[in-house]
Amino acid sequence: MTDTVDQLVRLHAANDPDKPMVIDPDHRITYGELDVTTREMAGAFVAAGVGKGTRVGLIMPNRAQWVQVSVALTRIGAVLVPMSTLLQPPELVDQLRVASVQYLVAVDEFRGHRYLDDVAPERANLPALRGVWDSRHLPRPDNEVDVDAITTSVTPSDTLAIMFTSGSSGPPKGVIHSHGNALGAVRSGLTARCIGADTRLYLPMPFFWVGGFGSGVLSALVAGATLVTEEIPRPESTLRLLERERVTLFRGWPDQAEALARQTDSVAADLSSLRPGSLEALLPPDQRAQPGARAKLFGMTESFGPYCGYPADTDMPRSAWGSCGKPFAGMDVRIVDQDSGAPLPAGEVGVIQIRGPHVMRGICRRGRYDLFTADGYYPTGDLGHLDADGFMFYHGRSDDMFKVSGATVYPSEVEQALRTIAGVDNAFVTEVAGAVGAVVVSERAVDDVRAEVRKRLSAFKVPTVWLRVDSDSEIPRKATGKVDARALKVLLAEQT
């Protein structure tokens, strides 16, 4: 059985101890070393007061040490609470309070943030918080602790992590996942992401998001693969890292892959080790698919990452182009009417509801009756439809849909059309004073983009309010990385 983090570490340490598990620019840790170092670290945490069920926050950029700390804690059944390095002091304190964090491990400083200084004045307002550790000075090992007796007591039903996410509005939510549901979710999506034991995986997503923790750290651990990471991705250093470590799979953000692709000639990096399934901008032209032919993996924090997909190196049937693929094994998906909640037939757009063993266990400070339907489905707030063959198409958020002259506009549909235009790297669409507004990341003039999108969409869906920006970094985002819809509206309103 490999349904807990400890079981996975022991399995790979026994079968392939010399294989690298995680590599950063300064460190290489094999599966054998991961077993030994995290066992020692776990004993130190236990001696310092951390036990099964103890909630431990972790603030640290992507690095090998992040993996070691997270594995050490979860091996002994402590609850990992990954926290964003982007958090401002009030946000950090609020998340510590919501998750009732008892201990905090943090780097002293990262990109101008001094997290330990941020927390110190608020200790009196955080009654659950017992201790704070600088990541440079973690508890010292204690050989008197019987770590094995503790790790073997951890079960798949025990809580693994609390992952913070934010909706389109409102405060962040602390989403609770068990070892069993999280590892099951990761395992169900490995084939769609083309991850196997021989994969050398790079992805830029921060480990504090489910996209980094689940699709990166735990995907490598479940598959017995190698994870390559770095604290601050920059085109030249990233390309050199990909080349040096012979990375075979690049997953993550398409805009970063496109930015890297623009630099490959000037850097003269050899990326020939990359395989199909990687983001296509970094692959040779003959290995790229036609627009819409490959599934866009779809998921959320509440499902511990993607719950729909299709092998990333394989074209879907023509009728399914533009879809998110099919629900993975272990996930029931149904579409219901937004008003009545009644299930809808294939082809009709409604709210997506999900159910199954890979769905979250709950949300901090909320009861299950607030979250799930009577028959166990979680209403995601996303809109979509299933076709007759079971492929799912995404239509945006139920709270993003809006009307223009009485006709319904789904922002995701307009965004998808804009992103198929050559020269458009990204696009974001929202309602602005009753009109369709769009922010496009593109080198092309707005008039050119407008002319192209008119060939793809009905007239009422074509944006009338535009803002062109040069880089995805100009898009306003929340600390969780999601687009800040309110700030986007403000930007577009300034154009009217």
Side-chain angles (χ1 to χ4, degrees), residues 311-396:
D313 59 355
T314 305
D315 288 357
M316 295 182 291
R318 188 64 181 83
S319 62
W321 284 22
S323 78
C324 304
K326 290 186 175 183
F328 297 148
M331 186 66 73
D332 297 326
V333 175
R334 71 180 180 189
I335 310 298
V336 303
D337 182 81
Q338 190 168 353
D339 296 320
S340 69
L344 294 173
E348 292 198 25
V349 176
V351 176
I352 302 169
Q353 295 186 346
I354 58 175
R355 181 180 68 180
H358 303 158
V359 178
M360 64 176 179
R361 305 297 89 178
I363 291 176
C364 290
R365 306 192 179 205
R366 295 186 63 184
R368 288 186 64 83
Y369 54 86
D370 287 332
L371 302 173
F372 298 94
T373 63
D375 54 353
Y377 279 88
Y378 175 65
T380 66
D382 293 320
L383 295 171
H385 81 267
L386 292 167
D387 71 7
D389 297 317
F391 286 88
M392 195 184 83
F393 292 76
Y394 177 62
H395 291 277

Side-chain angles (χ1 to χ4, degrees), residues 129-469:
L129 190 62
R130 302 175 192 167
V132 176
W133 291 300
D134 186 320
S135 62
R136 298 169 298 179
H137 306 292
L138 295 177
R140 297 181 63 82
D142 187 333
N143 295 327
E144 298 299 316
V145 176
D146 187 355
V147 174
D148 290 345
I150 300 171
T151 60
T152 54
S153 73
V154 179
T155 70
S157 62
D158 288 325
T159 302
L160 169 76
I162 295 174
M163 307 296 299
F164 275 96
T165 183
S166 64
S168 56
S169 62
K173 301 176 292 186
V175 181
I176 303 169
H177 289 284
S178 70
H179 284 253
N181 92 260
L183 296 177
V186 168
R187 190 173 284 115
S188 71
L190 290 180
T191 298
R193 284 173 293 162
C194 301
I195 298 175
D198 62 343
T199 300
R200 297 174 72 87
L201 169 68
Y202 176 94
L203 81 169
M205 295 179 176
F207 293 162
F208 54 74
W209 291 335
V210 74
F213 184 39
S215 297
V217 176
L218 293 185
S219 288
L221 191 58
V222 169
T226 297
L227 177 65
V228 180
T229 190
E230 57 185 334
E231 290 191 6
I232 303 176
R234 296 187 178 95
E236 183 170 356
S237 59
T238 298
L239 286 167
R240 291 301 180 204
L241 184 63
L242 298 177
E243 178 183 48
R244 182 173 67 250
E245 299 302 336
R246 306 298 295 165
V247 167
T248 62
L249 187 67
F250 186 110
R251 303 290 302 168
W253 290 306
D255 59 290
Q256 192 201 18
E258 290 159 5
L260 291 175
R262 290 192 288 269
Q263 299 289 328
T264 50
D265 289 339
S266 60
V267 175
D270 177 5
L271 302 184
S272 59
S273 59
L274 288 177
R275 300 174 185 170
S278 297
L279 292 178
E280 295 188 342
L282 294 173
L283 295 174
D286 63 347
Q287 293 183 19
R288 300 175 191 174
Q290 296 184 54
R294 303 284 167 84
K296 297 178 179 179
L297 293 173
F298 186 75
M300 60 196 316
T301 303
E302 291 88 336
S303 61
F304 207 74
Y307 64 83
C308 274
Y310 201 79
D313 59 355
T314 305
D315 288 357
M316 295 182 291
R318 188 64 181 83
S319 62
W321 284 22
S323 78
C324 304
K326 290 186 175 183
F328 297 148
M331 186 66 73
D332 297 326
V333 175
R334 71 180 180 189
I335 310 298
V336 303
D337 182 81
Q338 190 168 353
D339 296 320
S340 69
L344 294 173
E348 292 198 25
V349 176
V351 176
I352 302 169
Q353 295 186 346
I354 58 175
R355 181 180 68 180
H358 303 158
V359 178
M360 64 176 179
R361 305 297 89 178
I363 291 176
C364 290
R365 306 192 179 205
R366 295 186 63 184
R368 288 186 64 83
Y369 54 86
D370 287 332
L371 302 173
F372 298 94
T373 63
D375 54 353
Y377 279 88
Y378 175 65
T380 66
D382 293 320
L383 295 171
H385 81 267
L386 292 167
D387 71 7
D389 297 317
F391 286 88
M392 195 184 83
F393 292 76
Y394 177 62
H395 291 277
R397 293 285 300 170
S398 58
D399 46 9
D400 289 342
M401 179 186 69
F402 58 92
K403 299 277 189 177
V404 173
S405 301
T408 299
V409 175
Y410 296 105
S412 65
E413 180 185 9
V414 183
E415 290 170 351
Q416 182 176 334
L418 287 166
R419 290 167 184 161
T420 64
I421 297 172
V424 174
D425 296 328
N426 216 338
F428 305 89
V429 172
T430 187
E431 181 269 340
V432 184
V436 182
V439 179
V440 291
V441 182
S442 178
E443 297 176 352
R444 298 185 65 172
V446 165
D447 287 346
D448 291 345
V449 177
R450 183 190 293 113
E452 288 296 326
V453 80
R454 280 176 173 162
K455 302 174 184 177
R456 294 163 167 79
L457 294 173
S458 301
F460 72 89
K461 300 176 185 177
V462 175
T464 56
V465 182
W466 293 85
L467 174 62
R468 189 197 66 79
V469 297

Side-chain angles (χ1 to χ4, degrees), residues 13 17 19 28-39 68:
K19 175 189 284 188
R28 307 172 72 84
I29 299 175
T30 67
Y31 277 97
E33 291 167 340
L34 184 71
D35 182 28
V36 172
T37 59
T38 60
R39 192 189 301 256
Q68 287 177 299

Side-chain angles (χ1 to χ4, degrees), residues 97 123-130:
R97 184 181 297 112
R123 290 290 292 271
N125 299 318
L126 296 167
L129 190 62
R130 302 175 192 167

